[in-house]
Amino acid sequence: MKPTMETAAEENTEQSQERKGCFECCIKCLGGVPYASLVATILCFSGVALFCGCGHVALAGTVAILEQHFSTNTSDHALLSEVIQLMQYVIYGIASFFFLYGIILLAEGFYTTSAVKELHGEFKTTACGRCISGMFVFLTYVLGVAWLGVFGFSAVPVFMYYNIWSTCEVIKSPQTNGTAGVEQICVDIRQYGIIPWNAFPGKICGSALENICNTNEFYMSYHLFIVACAGAGATVIALLIYMMATTYNYAVLKFKSREDCCTKF
């Protein structure tokens, strides 16, 4: 009876040690997760997806509005149509590039976090690894500055659509609705520089302008441009998080690679 009790106690001890070992292993694995890079990757994917998807559809809707209402002559907006088509192809490239770049940065975050926290033994890194980390720091800074420009550029169509929408709201207001002055309230799309000054008609007034604002193309394009601008802003925030994470990891890698790091901390 006594040996049986001792055997059971030993089995319970072994099981508790195994559970403790599994728990410590899970905690150790969770400690190697680069949470900042993970959050930045999710935010980057979401932002780029919103910017590319909504921007692509909104550009197509803008071309349709211009062709139907502001520039009936195809030759007047031929250059604009080519530019918009080129921008749509660029959007495909941006989406593909940032999908790959986000995965690479996340993998680099796992590598540097594991190396910094010494999860797999003593700290080991090479000059090539530090060089790659430094390259990602520089490239992320460049992309961050570029996306600031993209964010500012994406606000331009939002501003243009907002001006048209606010003009339509003035037409719909009780103070002006039904009066002769309604037909004198106009929007001249040529002043934004997207079509030439000789484009016909170029300017829409009164009830015709109100009808444009009530179309599905205008409503969808306006709100899609807003979402695309928000997506560009989210991508800028994601790149800022990437900047901080990659800069910190590179600095720690470079510091811990020095032989006298412990004496000069």
Side-chain angles (χ1 to χ4, degrees):
M1 184 72 180
K2 189 173 181 180
T4 305
M5 294 177 62
E6 291 178 353
T7 304
E10 290 177 356
E11 290 179 354
N12 292 332
T13 303
E14 290 177 357
Q15 290 178 356
S16 62
Q17 289 178 350
E18 288 179 359
R19 291 179 187 145
K20 185 177 179 181
C22 292
F23 177 76
E24 291 178 352
C25 182
C26 291
I27 295 299
K28 187 176 181 181
C29 291
L30 290 175
V33 175
Y35 293 102
S37 296
L38 185 62
V39 171
T41 301
I42 296 173
L43 192 60
C44 181
F45 283 174
S46 303
V48 172
L50 289 175
F51 174 79
C52 294
C54 296
H56 185 277
V57 178
L59 287 172
T62 301
V63 173
I65 292 173
L66 288 174
E67 291 178 346
Q68 295 173 9
H69 303 286
F70 290 97
S71 180
T72 56
N73 190 358
T74 307
S75 60
D76 291 337
H77 58 270
L79 179 60
L80 178 65
S81 299
E82 293 178 0
V83 171
I84 288 179
Q85 187 176 10
L86 179 63
M87 291 174 64
Q88 289 176 330
Y89 284 118
V90 170
I91 283 175
Y92 297 145
I94 290 174
S96 303
F97 171 78
F98 271 91
F99 177 76
L100 294 175
Y101 190 69
I103 293 176
I104 292 172
L105 278 183
L106 184 61
E108 196 267 345
F110 273 102
Y111 158 74
T112 52
T113 302
S114 299
V116 168
K117 294 187 178 181
E118 303 178 12
L119 296 178
H120 306 291
E122 296 181 358
F123 175 81
K124 292 180 180 179
T125 185
T126 61
C128 181
R130 294 192 299 273
C131 182
I132 292 174
S133 297
M135 181 192 68
F136 280 125
V137 172
F138 173 75
L139 186 57
T140 306
Y141 270 87
V142 172
L143 290 174
V145 174
W147 267 95
L148 281 174
V150 173
F151 176 62
F153 178 77
S154 63
V156 174
V158 176
F159 172 75
M160 183 186 71
Y161 272 92
Y162 174 76
N163 284 341
I164 299 174
W165 173 82
S166 60
T167 305
C168 291
E169 290 299 311
V170 172
I171 296 174
K172 295 177 183 178
S173 64
Q175 291 81 4
T176 57
N177 192 15
T179 63
V182 171
E183 297 302 324
Q184 297 178 359
I185 301 175
C186 305
V187 168
D188 192 346
I189 205 70
R190 295 170 296 186
Q191 65 182 346
Y192 298 104
I194 59 177
I195 57 176
W197 281 104
N198 59 354
F200 181 81
K203 182 171 70 172
I204 303 294
C205 302
S207 58
L209 179 61
E210 185 179 359
N211 292 332
I212 293 174
C213 294
N214 292 330
T215 59
N216 291 329
E217 290 85 359
F218 181 87
Y219 181 83
M220 288 295 296
S221 298
Y222 180 31
H223 289 84
L224 286 175
F225 271 125
I226 294 175
V227 177
C229 185
T235 307
V236 171
I237 296 174
L239 288 172
L240 288 175
I241 298 174
Y242 273 137
M243 286 181 198
M244 292 185 288
T246 54
T247 303
Y248 170 79
N249 289 332
Y250 173 73
V252 174
L253 284 177
K254 188 174 181 180
F255 175 76
K256 296 190 73 173
S257 63
R258 296 170 54 183
E259 295 180 356
D260 58 346
C261 65
C262 297
T263 61
K264 292 188 178 182
F265 184 76

